[in-house]
Amino acid sequence: MPTILIVDDEEDIRELISVTLMRREDYKLIEATDGLSALAIAREERPDVILLDLMLPAMDGLTVFRNLREDARTKAIPVIMLTARGRLEEKLTGLELGADDYMAKPFSPKELTLRVRNLLRRTNRNAHSSVIVSGPFSLDKNSLKLLLDGDAIDLTSTEFKLLLSMIESPGITQERGDLLKKVWGYSDLIQTRTLDTHIKRLREKLGPYGNSIETVRGSGYRFLEE
Amino acid sequence: MPTILIVDDEEDIRELISVTLMRREDYKLIEATDGLSALAIAREERPDVILLDLMLPAMDGLTVFRNLREDARTKAIPVIMLTARGRLEEKLTGLELGADDYMAKPFSPKELTLRVRNLLRRTNRNAHSSVIVSGPFSLDKNSLKLLLDGDAIDLTSTEFKLLLSMIESPGITQERGDLLKKVWGYSDLIQTRTLDTHIKRLREKLGPYGNSIETVRGSGYRFLEE
DNA sequence: CGCTCCTGTGACAAATTCGTAACCCGGTGA
DNA sequence: TCACCGGGTTACGAATTTGTCACAGGAGCG
């Protein structure tokens, strides 16, 4: 579920945006009423999109934006700037600074929704959507890496495939034959200890989290659901 | 140098856009006057951005857009839709379909430039920059030079190409076959030690940073992500 | 033309991975 | 109680993959 940070000092605007977005999509919304708290929240929460009003008390929106772009933690977060209609110079300054989008109030609720959605899609299109996260596990199909609680774990090619096969269907028991087919390409019921050997090796490498892989006696194995 | 496809049947619009963009940035511009040729060009040239007028003869812009999004070759190309002012329904339909941006004519030339620029930045962080920086590495595509912690390292042509191929996708494991294709143009699975030999030579020249190139056994190689 | 450098090839060494087979243990059913 | 089944474990050797090296041919330069 994407997280959206709404930065506006006017409560009715925040309310309007909040209602608009929640009516049409399933987002987690966070609100900030001033620049400083917006920056703190952005750094802490790493929202997927920021809706940033330019007319803020104390620290104005453009300054907030500059700060966002200067901080490695927040520089990649897409930002939609909001402000009063007709302020072309302001608009251009925002775009000059690298804003992802710009909308003038009052905006069409549907347009806002669509722009947020498209921005999320565009961002996800370029992101490592190949990463599967489950509890402390983070499995990246692009880099063929496993991170466990943030620590890299060396897996062999077969181990990676096996873990991937299991983590893709958490909570689902996979028959031994299915796993043998998926990972090794065995198409018939054959008698082999290969799967068990690799399960053991995998469990060893996973240390305490090795018990995330559960044995279903008489059937196969199952990756613990989060 | 990014490629921009301008799709508009009106010559003065194409001219305006062309002049606007060329005045401010170094782009390769391609023009199309109708939907069919736009699609053909997009598939062949894979532009970095498409400026798509919605009022086209024969095949309208929305249909062109749908086709772009349905084709794996073009679905990832960012599209800015252009049309007459005030057509909110049309605007929403475009955004509904997933357009990356929407501008109403007449548009501010500067705004157009900025939106194109920002879109390019978001989708290709390094595409229009000739210098790729990653940690201590600074690779200049124009001078074919590598700086490592500020010190120039002599690379042969092949070594440079190989390092560039890897550094362009940090953290991504690239199959041996893919690297052989990219750097040597080999198109089939062949048995060769060439890649490994060059990897070894590259690692030697990189000294302590040679371990930025990681071996992914059974797959290929990966440049360490920053 | 001679020299130097670059490049790719093929042979061999080193390292790693993998699968097998034997053995063990616990649970279940007759 | 006993036999059997299924999964856990271990050790070993084979297979595969990657690293390394030396050499030869080609390209480029003076």
Side-chain angles (χ1 to χ4, degrees):
Chain A
M1 178 167 54
T3 304
I4 303 186
L5 172 60
I6 304 169
V7 187
D8 203 304
D9 59 315
E10 297 177 285
E11 184 177 357
D12 55 340
I13 296 288
R14 295 200 307 276
E15 187 70 22
L16 171 65
I17 294 175
S18 188
V19 168
T20 297
L21 293 178
M22 292 305 292
R23 187 189 293 138
R24 295 161 187 274
E25 310 274 359
D26 190 24
Y27 298 130
K28 174 187 174 187
L29 302 181
I30 312 179
E31 297 182 6
T33 57
D34 68 282
L36 280 179
S37 55
L39 286 172
I41 292 172
R43 287 167 183 150
E44 184 66 36
E45 301 288 339
R46 309 287 182 90
D48 298 288
V49 171
I50 297 175
L51 298 177
L52 178 61
D53 183 35
L54 292 191
M55 301 297 294
L56 291 176
M59 185 187 290
D60 68 279
L62 289 177
T63 304
V64 173
F65 183 79
R66 283 197 196 90
N67 275 277
L68 288 171
R69 284 288 183 269
E70 281 168 8
D71 190 323
R73 287 168 293 182
T74 55
K75 65 192 278 199
I77 304 178
V79 174
I80 300 185
M81 288 182 176
L82 312 172
T83 198
R85 184 177 297 286
R87 311 283 281 270
L88 179 63
E89 274 309 306
E90 209 170 46
K91 185 180 187 178
L92 294 181
T93 302
L95 291 173
E96 187 87 45
L97 288 175
D100 298 278
D101 210 346
Y102 191 101
M103 293 186 74
K105 303 174 193 173
F107 38 72
S108 145
K110 187 164 185 188
E111 181 177 350
L112 174 71
T113 307
L114 289 175
R115 282 190 184 268
V116 168
R117 186 199 70 176
N118 290 353
L119 198 49
L120 281 172
R121 283 186 185 172
R122 190 199 313 155
T123 305
N124 289 337
R125 207 188 303 155
N126 297 321
H128 291 291
S129 54
S130 57
V131 179
I132 300 186
V133 177
S134 181
F137 292 81
S138 177
L139 207 63
D140 186 344
K141 285 189 277 189
N142 276 341
S143 62
L144 304 182
K145 269 188 175 176
L146 166 66
L147 293 187
L148 200 41
D149 270 337
D151 297 321
I153 305 285
D154 270 337
L155 297 182
T156 67
S157 167
T158 303
E159 285 161 3
F160 187 92
K161 278 179 71 180
L162 180 56
L163 182 57
L164 181 60
S165 293
M166 303 193 63
I167 208 171
E168 277 175 337
S169 312
I172 306 293
T173 297
Q174 296 187 58
E175 302 279 345
R176 302 173 57 84
D178 292 335
L179 286 169
L180 284 166
K181 183 170 188 175
K182 256 164 93 179
V183 177
W184 283 273
Y186 293 166
S187 56
D188 296 311
L189 286 182
I190 58 172
Q191 303 303 314
T192 178
R193 311 304 302 156
T194 299
L195 173 57
D196 311 278
T197 300
H198 283 84
I199 289 282
K200 172 190 163 49
R201 285 177 180 151
L202 200 41
R203 282 168 167 162
E204 274 178 352
K205 288 193 174 177
L206 300 182
Y209 294 110
N211 54 31
S212 297
I213 300 180
E214 301 177 310
T215 304
V216 182
R217 192 174 169 93
S219 178
Y221 294 97
R222 172 177 64 205
F223 191 82
L224 199 64
E225 197 158 20
E226 203 176 337
Chain B
M1 176 165 56
T3 304
I4 303 186
L5 173 59
I6 306 169
V7 188
D8 205 299
D9 59 314
E10 296 177 283
E11 183 177 356
D12 56 339
I13 296 290
R14 295 200 310 276
E15 187 71 21
L16 172 65
I17 294 175
S18 189
V19 166
T20 296
L21 292 178
M22 292 306 291
R23 186 189 294 139
R24 297 164 186 269
E25 310 274 0
D26 190 25
Y27 298 131
K28 174 187 175 189
L29 302 183
I30 312 179
E31 298 182 5
T33 57
D34 67 282
L36 279 179
S37 54
L39 285 174
I41 292 172
R43 288 168 183 149
E44 183 68 33
E45 301 287 341
R46 311 287 183 87
D48 299 286
V49 172
I50 297 175
L51 298 177
L52 178 61
D53 183 36
L54 292 193
M55 303 295 295
L56 290 177
M59 186 188 294
D60 68 281
L62 288 179
T63 305
V64 173
F65 184 79
R66 283 197 195 88
N67 275 276
L68 288 171
R69 284 289 183 267
E70 281 166 5
D71 191 323
R73 288 169 291 183
T74 55
K75 65 191 283 198
I77 303 179
V79 173
I80 301 184
M81 286 181 177
L82 311 172
T83 197
R85 185 178 296 284
R87 311 282 282 270
L88 180 62
E89 274 310 308
E90 209 171 45
K91 186 180 188 179
L92 294 182
T93 303
L95 290 173
E96 187 86 47
L97 288 174
D100 297 279
D101 211 345
Y102 190 101
M103 294 186 71
K105 304 175 194 173
F107 40 72
S108 146
K110 188 165 185 187
E111 182 177 349
L112 173 71
T113 307
L114 290 174
R115 283 189 184 268
V116 169
R117 188 198 69 178
N118 289 353
L119 202 48
L120 281 171
R121 281 189 183 170
R122 277 218 78 74
T123 56
N124 294 282
R125 286 277 180 206
N126 296 312
H128 64 296
S129 170
S130 60
V131 178
I132 300 188
V133 178
S134 180
F137 293 80
S138 178
L139 209 61
D140 189 334
K141 286 192 272 188
N142 286 337
S143 62
L144 305 183
K145 277 189 174 173
L146 166 67
L147 293 187
L148 200 40
D149 270 338
D151 298 320
I153 306 284
D154 270 337
L155 296 182
T156 67
S157 166
T158 304
E159 284 161 3
F160 185 91
K161 278 180 71 179
L162 180 56
L163 181 58
L164 181 61
S165 294
M166 301 194 65
I167 208 171
E168 277 174 337
S169 310
I172 306 293
T173 295
Q174 295 187 58
E175 303 279 346
R176 304 174 57 83
D178 292 336
L179 286 170
L180 284 165
K181 182 169 187 174
K182 256 163 91 179
V183 178
W184 283 274
Y186 294 166
S187 55
D188 296 310
L189 287 181
I190 59 171
Q191 303 302 316
T192 178
R193 310 304 305 152
T194 299
L195 172 57
D196 310 278
T197 300
H198 282 84
I199 290 282
K200 172 190 160 52
R201 286 176 180 152
L202 198 42
R203 280 169 168 161
E204 278 176 350
K205 289 194 176 178
L206 300 182
Y209 293 112
N211 56 28
S212 298
I213 300 179
E214 301 176 312
T215 303
V216 182
R217 192 179 167 92
S219 178
Y221 294 97
R222 172 176 66 205
F223 191 81
L224 201 62
E225 200 161 16
E226 205 174 334

